[in-house]
Amino acid sequence: MGRFWAVFFVASAVIAVGLCWVAPSHGLWFPGTLKGGFGAGVAHSSIGKRIDDLFYLVLVIVAVTYIGTHAVLGYVLWRGATIKAEEKVLFSHGSHSLEVIWTIVPSGILLYIALYQMDVWAAYRFKEFSPKKAEAVAEVTARQFEWRIRYPARGKTLMPTPQPDDVYTVNELHVPTGRPVSISLKTEDVQHAFFVPELRIKQDAVPGLTIPVWFDVDEPRQYEMVCAELCGWGHYKMKARLIAVSDEDFGAWKDKAALEQFDDGFKKPAE
Amino acid sequence: MSTLHPTLDHAGHDDSHGHGHGHHELTFIQKYVFSTDHKIIGIQFLVTTLLMLMVGGALALGVRWQLARPWEYMPIAGDLTFGRDGGQISPEYYTMLFTMHATVMIFLVIIPVLAGAFGNFLIPLMIGADDMAFPTLNMLSYWFMWPAILFFAFALGLGPEWLTHVRGGMDAGSAQGWTSYPLLSALKQAAPGSEMSQTWWLMAVTFVGVSSMMGSVNYMTTIINMRAPGMTLFRMPLTIWAMFITAILQAFALPVLTAAGFMLVADRVLGTCFFIPAGIVVNNAAPTIGGGQTLLWQHLFWFYSHPAVYIMLLPAMGMVSDMLSCMSRKPIFGYKPMVYSMAAIAGLGFIVWGHHMFISGMNPALGMTFMVSTMMIALPSAIKTFNWIGTIWGGRLQFNAVMLNCVAFVSMFIIGGLSGIFMAAVPVDIYIHDTYFIVAHFHYVLFGSTLFGVFAGIQFWFPKMWGRLMNDSVAKVHFVLSFIGFNVTFFPMHLLGVAGMPRRYADPYHFEYLSHLLPLNQVMTAAAFLMGFAQFLLLGNFVFSIFMGEKCGRNPWNANGLEWTAPSPPGHGNFDVLPVVYHGPYEYSSPISGDKDFLMQTEYIPLAQRGVESGH
Ligand code: HEM
Ligand SMILES: [Cu+2]
Ligand SMILES: [Cu+2]
């Protein structure tokens, strides 16, 4: 019976690994455009790509550890199940050198991950296109249960307070592609979180704070935008779209939006 | 009745129902209801938490139902609980379900079953004391759970409206998640569940806190002062070390939560603004006056709740160490590294709380320090895992239900610990924070590890509670169903998280990028129901075995600990004679113990008979 249980635990690990292996080809992996035969979605922002890379690095380390520990676990279980009646139990209180090895090796690996990732975080929060350096395209204000978005008029910069010629949209965030842009994230009521899965970007919107978030979008199309922090019964309904278009189209869109917004119904009298 | 120095006439009697004829007659109520006997209190905690496990499980099945059949009529339970919504879960009800599920599981199951049930039952028995240092305080710590349970029921919307002032029944049950972030939890207008039910919720948490604090003071005092002669610190079973460290964690972390809870109640009731910034307009109510900071709550809450996740794990780690060693018939591998790594977890546990707040808008530089400390806390966890595997290595394994649940603990803890590394990598956490990846992580550590450890512990110490064994075959069936049900339910959640499915969504499928996840969720729900119903096997086995289980003597497992020298069940005062300790608790298969493969801590072996190699 003991052998059965050794196999049982090993089998559970094999199934877990197998499931992860086939998951991408069944759509159970990163969202984003599928590239290559693997089936994994590719992030559509530069920071998202770096996040994915980091994820895969951790995944490899974790997978090796998982498979290794379960192989050993399976072995010791099997051995303990097949021990003969006359065989002696290993009477050991531990091993100093083993303890040293399995303290130093994991701490080295953990430190490596810790140091390696700092750069990506720094890129997201301080360096390169820190929110201050990227152009602020819009102020995004979350409220129960929608997103209100305010843009500066074409050719102007975003001011912290609303301006008479600002352009507004609801649940549609228009941004230009191909260059880093930033948004000022606010909330009018409770806490929310701005989350664009295909860009891998997430940031909480905190009452009383205005938080800059930068990103760049590499492909002009629409992306789903969701709320990731519980904000009440309608949390699951804060469905919105991030609409990325080329620079020219962005300008053209803004002109059109401004025209629609400020059109008061009076037509120029015909000649 | 307890004294610091047990005397023979307080000692118990061998017959299983014999503790009635001590020299002071106790009434039935004193003996079994308002009992000051740590064993009765421990069993009271155990039975209460097992019942609460079923309640929390039922709430979880409600959540799972909605995720598998969104907005569909729910048979039976639907008519009973939300008939007026046509038997269909409303979004408000859904938010209440996951909030109260987590609340019940954390505050009424995991924390009290470890410290309350096992801590109470085992500490005096394992260190050779006749009872806790403060028996009355101990009794109070149990009875303070009941106001908490009552208030949580009110928070769930179960009380009569004239009394609780919860307007709207269960649809207005507490609904801000177990983390209770303001402003959702601070402003009454924010949601139906933010009205009176949230105040009840906060009061209930306070009562749980008071109960835990009374326990924790008691455990520390008892373990420091009341150990039997010869029970040095480094001869204590790891269960006791774990309980000791947990008690310290509780004592330092809990006051912060209690204070934060009072501050939030003050914001809600007295009009203070600790957590409320100015000028917030919720649902067209008047703007807030403000001046406060919502992030303050997150800091205070996680300053408690990160140590608390270890409060929810360390005792199980200790118990599993004891059981693994016994069932492998082998000393624990690396006793001192085990102790030191628990201490390291406890120490580091106080400086990692910010890893729950990486994207909360807190200073990004602060995120880095929390990231490094979080990475480092994975180290002691890894060391413990290796030592458990080392313990099994080369042993003569007894593949009973106790052993199986312990191995499951180790295997599941590996998954839970490894998924923690993804989240500790801050940039990755930007993406997976608040997705199902997190849900997978904490279920692997809290259910996969702690609860399987508890299942093992129940079967292991059941004979000491009742003098009878639980049925091993039924326990194995329960184990297999729980293990398969658990993994099929929770492992795919990692993948849902990677696919970007946010947690706490009543209906994720109306998003295009999530719409294909419904079939998988249906499989998971089926597995969850399987796992839920498997728990009836545990309860049935438990109740049945109390009356009909196979009778056993003092030491059915041939284990070494002091508890196994006492009668089963031990009488009032526990031991017939004051135990004297000569060895550590893990001397299984020691060459000096003759032809037995165990060496009880109380067994004296003359120096002449000990070989040279017996250093311990
Ligand atoms: C190996 C060490 C561990 C690491 C590195 C780790 C890391 C983390 C991180 C970074 C988070 C926050 C994720 C997020 O919200 O974005 C988290 C959440 C959590 N962890 Fe762990 N963890 C570890 C072990 C544990 C253990 C042992 C437990 C419990 C016994 C635990 C229980 C939890 C819970 C309950 C949450 C989520 C709370 C919530 O948001 O509702 N973790 N963990
Ligand atoms: Cu939300
Ligand atoms: Cu934590």
Side-chain angles (χ1 to χ4, degrees):
Chain A
M1 205 50 188
R3 294 168 206 222
F4 168 79
W5 293 114
V7 175
F8 178 84
F9 284 107
V10 172
S12 75
V14 171
I15 293 173
V17 173
L19 186 64
C20 292
W21 189 263
V22 300
S25 56
H26 288 74
L28 294 169
W29 208 247
F30 289 113
T33 306
L34 303 186
K35 294 233 174 84
F38 187 46
V42 173
H44 284 282
S45 69
S46 61
I47 199 78
K49 290 194 178 81
R50 298 184 69 181
I51 288 176
D52 284 4
D53 289 346
L54 190 61
F55 178 91
Y56 287 117
L57 172 79
V58 178
L59 181 65
V60 169
I61 294 174
V62 159
V64 170
T65 317
Y66 180 67
I67 294 169
T69 45
H70 274 78
V72 178
L73 184 66
Y75 165 74
V76 295
L77 286 175
W78 183 268
R79 194 175 145 185
T82 52
I83 187 168
K84 303 211 174 46
E86 67 279 3
E87 224 174 306
K88 268 222 178 107
V89 166
L90 176 76
F91 182 69
S92 152
H93 287 89
S95 146
H96 189 72
S97 40
L98 272 180
E99 301 289 347
V100 171
I101 294 173
W102 66 45
T103 306
I104 301 224
V105 174
S107 55
I109 296 172
L110 288 168
L111 268 180
Y112 171 74
I113 305 178
L115 295 176
Y116 184 85
Q117 60 170 323
M118 284 194 178
D119 208 35
V120 187
W121 178 247
Y124 180 56
R125 244 42 195 103
F126 321 86
K127 271 199 326 197
E128 296 165 35
F129 309 109
S130 77
K132 288 198 189 92
K133 288 186 210 150
E135 185 203 345
V137 288
E139 179 192 78
V140 177
T141 307
R143 71 195 289 270
Q144 288 176 329
F145 297 100
E146 65 183 13
W147 306 88
R148 294 194 172 172
I149 297 141
R150 178 170 70 86
Y151 310 82
R154 192 170 184 181
K156 296 207 175 161
T157 51
L158 184 70
M159 303 304 267
T161 49
Q163 305 296 309
D165 53 356
D166 282 345
V167 176
Y168 291 86
T169 56
V170 175
N171 286 340
E172 274 183 10
L173 171 58
H174 293 255
V175 295
T177 53
R179 63 190 163 93
V181 293
S182 87
I183 57 165
S184 306
L185 187 60
K186 292 167 87 162
T187 165
E188 202 168 278
D189 43 38
V190 301
Q191 197 168 332
H192 302 266
F194 170 82
F195 181 26
V196 186
E198 284 169 278
L199 305 185
R200 318 283 189 261
I201 298 288
K202 191 184 288 135
Q203 174 59 52
D204 284 2
V206 182
L209 299 184
T210 303
I211 301 174
V213 186
W214 82 267
F215 52 86
D216 50 6
V217 189
D218 64 359
E219 190 188 326
R221 66 174 175 88
Q222 299 192 0
Y223 302 88
E224 276 178 297
M225 184 174 129
V226 309
C227 175
E229 182 66 59
L230 178 64
C231 53
W233 65 267
H235 171 47
Y236 71 103
K237 290 184 77 166
M238 289 183 64
K239 188 174 181 168
R241 285 178 303 166
L242 183 138
I243 300 173
V245 290
S246 67
D247 249 341
E248 307 87 77
D249 289 355
F250 183 66
W253 165 78
K254 202 181 262 179
D255 285 342
K256 185 167 150 272
L259 201 66
E260 271 175 15
Q261 180 172 318
F262 296 109
D263 173 37
D264 47 12
F266 291 104
K267 299 268 178 322
K268 240 190 205 167
E271 250 354 90
Chain B
M1 174 71 222
S2 139
T3 56
L4 284 176
H5 303 286
T7 54
L8 268 183
D9 45 66
H10 283 165
H13 304 268
D14 212 348
D15 52 338
S16 55
H17 44 251
H19 49 275
H21 49 90
H23 50 237
H24 28 231
E25 285 303 326
L26 296 170
T27 62
F28 179 82
I29 301 254
Q30 284 171 316
K31 238 185 317 179
Y32 297 112
V33 184
F34 294 106
S35 171
T36 55
D37 183 333
H38 72 99
K39 299 179 292 296
I40 302 286
I41 298 172
I43 291 170
Q44 286 172 329
F45 263 114
L46 182 60
V47 172
T48 313
T49 49
L50 283 179
L51 291 178
M52 288 303 140
L53 177 69
M54 301 310 272
V55 175
L59 293 166
L61 292 184
V63 172
R64 284 306 327 168
W65 174 267
Q66 168 73 5
L67 288 174
R69 304 214 164 274
W71 317 122
E72 279 179 38
Y73 165 75
M74 185 198 269
I76 311 170
D79 293 327
L80 290 177
T81 54
F82 34 88
R84 63 165 190 191
D85 300 328
Q88 183 198 25
I89 291 182
S90 64
E92 292 88 342
Y93 193 90
Y94 182 81
T95 46
M96 179 283 283
L97 278 178
F98 66 69
T99 300
M100 292 312 293
H101 158 67
T103 304
V104 169
M105 287 303 194
I106 288 170
F107 294 113
L108 298 182
V109 179
I110 299 286
I111 294 181
V113 79
L114 291 176
F118 287 105
N120 259 309
F121 190 81
L122 295 177
I123 290 173
L125 280 171
M126 286 183 127
I127 63 172
D130 61 344
D131 206 321
M132 285 286 181
F134 310 115
T136 310
L137 195 65
N138 207 14
M139 173 187 84
L140 288 175
S141 97
Y142 174 71
W143 286 103
F144 265 73
M145 288 302 285
W146 279 100
I149 293 172
L150 184 72
F151 292 173
F152 276 137
F154 290 173
L156 216 154
L158 285 179
E161 195 180 315
W162 59 267
L163 178 67
T164 64
H165 295 280
V166 175
R167 295 179 297 135
M170 291 205 259
D171 274 344
S174 208
Q176 10 294 316
W178 80 282
T179 49
S180 236
Y181 283 2
L183 296 173
L184 199 53
S185 59
L187 299 178
K188 290 195 165 68
Q189 300 84 358
S194 304
E195 294 191 355
M196 201 48 202
S197 54
Q198 181 59 14
T199 308
W200 288 116
W201 188 92
L202 286 163
M203 301 219 286
V205 170
T206 307
F207 271 95
V208 174
V210 173
S211 159
S212 297
M213 190 53 106
M214 290 194 277
S216 129
V217 169
N218 220 338
Y219 301 161
M220 287 192 280
T221 317
T222 308
I223 294 173
I224 293 173
N225 281 329
M226 295 177 62
R227 280 169 286 129
M231 181 62 90
T232 59
L233 283 180
F234 283 111
R235 278 182 185 165
M236 293 199 309
L238 288 170
T239 304
I240 299 301
W241 268 111
M243 295 289 176
F244 184 51
I245 292 171
T246 305
I248 297 174
L249 277 179
Q250 289 266 32
F252 283 95
L254 245 176
V256 177
L257 180 74
T258 312
F262 279 131
M263 286 157 77
L264 191 50
V265 170
D267 275 9
R268 297 173 51 81
V269 179
L270 303 178
T272 55
C273 286
F274 291 111
F275 304 118
I276 306 175
I280 301 290
V281 179
V282 170
N283 268 320
N284 297 328
T288 55
I289 303 180
Q293 249 290 2
T294 57
L295 284 186
L296 176 62
W297 169 268
Q298 296 190 25
H299 281 293
L300 296 177
F301 180 83
W302 289 115
F303 185 83
Y304 164 76
S305 287
H306 185 84
V309 304
Y310 288 104
I311 292 169
M312 301 176 224
L313 182 70
L314 285 177
M317 285 179 154
M319 294 179 342
V320 165
S321 308
D322 282 12
M323 291 183 276
L324 265 185
S325 168
C326 173
M327 293 309 166
S328 304
R329 315 308 299 162
K330 228 192 118 216
I332 192 88
F333 202 86
Y335 174 84
K336 281 198 179 168
M338 286 294 221
V339 175
Y340 296 146
S341 48
M342 278 200 278
I345 287 177
L348 286 170
F350 277 106
I351 53 166
V352 300
W353 79 87
H355 65 212
H356 298 273
M357 302 171 60
F358 285 144
I359 63 150
S360 67
M362 126 187 121
N363 183 336
L366 213 49
M368 282 298 93
T369 58
F370 283 122
M371 177 274 289
V372 174
S373 55
T374 303
M375 282 290 171
M376 284 301 108
I377 208 169
L379 182 62
S381 311
I383 296 175
K384 293 193 75 74
T385 307
F386 298 141
N387 278 308
W388 284 316
I389 296 178
T391 304
I392 305 174
W393 171 47
R396 189 184 305 285
L397 308 189
Q398 315 290 307
F399 284 95
N400 49 28
V402 177
M403 177 74 179
L404 296 178
N405 279 295
C406 288
V407 176
F409 172 100
V410 177
S411 171
M412 302 293 95
F413 182 67
I414 294 175
I415 298 186
L418 290 177
S419 62
I421 311 235
F422 288 94
M423 294 140 48
V426 192
V428 178
D429 193 59
I430 298 172
Y431 177 62
I432 57 182
H433 172 72
D434 265 328
T435 65
Y436 263 78
F437 199 92
I438 312 301
V439 182
H441 164 70
F442 63 70
H443 281 93
Y444 265 88
V445 277
L446 291 179
F447 192 139
S449 310
T450 302
L451 209 52
F452 277 96
V454 166
F455 291 156
I458 290 175
Q459 279 141 34
F460 188 68
W461 281 291
F462 185 90
K464 195 46 61 183
M465 295 178 188
W466 309 101
R468 290 170 189 269
L469 291 163
M470 276 173 82
N471 184 307
D472 195 54
S473 311
V474 178
K476 275 182 177 154
V477 176
H478 166 254
F479 164 73
V480 172
L481 293 182
S482 302
F483 185 84
I484 293 176
F486 169 79
N487 279 290
V488 177
T489 308
F490 291 104
F491 194 81
M493 286 190 187
H494 294 107
L495 303 171
L496 296 184
V498 176
M501 177 168 152
R503 62 195 278 207
R504 296 168 170 175
Y505 266 26
D507 178 7
Y509 313 112
H510 67 110
F511 291 98
E512 216 172 294
Y513 80 106
L514 300 173
S515 54
H516 62 293
L517 300 177
L518 181 62
L520 180 61
N521 270 293
Q522 289 171 336
V523 174
M524 292 157 65
T525 296
F529 273 86
L530 171 77
M531 173 171 72
F533 285 103
Q535 303 320 310
F536 285 106
L537 287 176
L538 176 75
L539 289 195
N541 196 359
F542 189 89
V543 174
F544 181 83
S545 304
I546 292 177
F547 303 104
M548 317 281 241
E550 188 190 329
K551 281 203 172 171
C552 65
R554 294 181 178 219
N555 191 2
W557 310 112
N558 291 340
N560 291 342
L562 290 187
E563 74 270 33
W564 305 107
T565 62
S568 303
H572 204 173
N574 294 346
F575 299 94
D576 349 60
V577 282
L578 174 67
V580 179
V581 177
Y582 298 101
H583 317 276
Y586 300 115
E587 300 304 295
Y588 292 101
S589 304
S590 163
I592 64 169
S593 58
D595 36 344
K596 301 195 283 4
D597 67 350
F598 65 107
L599 178 59
M600 299 202 71
Q601 286 190 275
T602 49
E603 188 175 334
Y604 176 67
I605 307 250
L607 260 185
Q609 279 176 40
R610 304 186 200 172
V612 252
E613 70 273 23
S614 61
H616 292 258

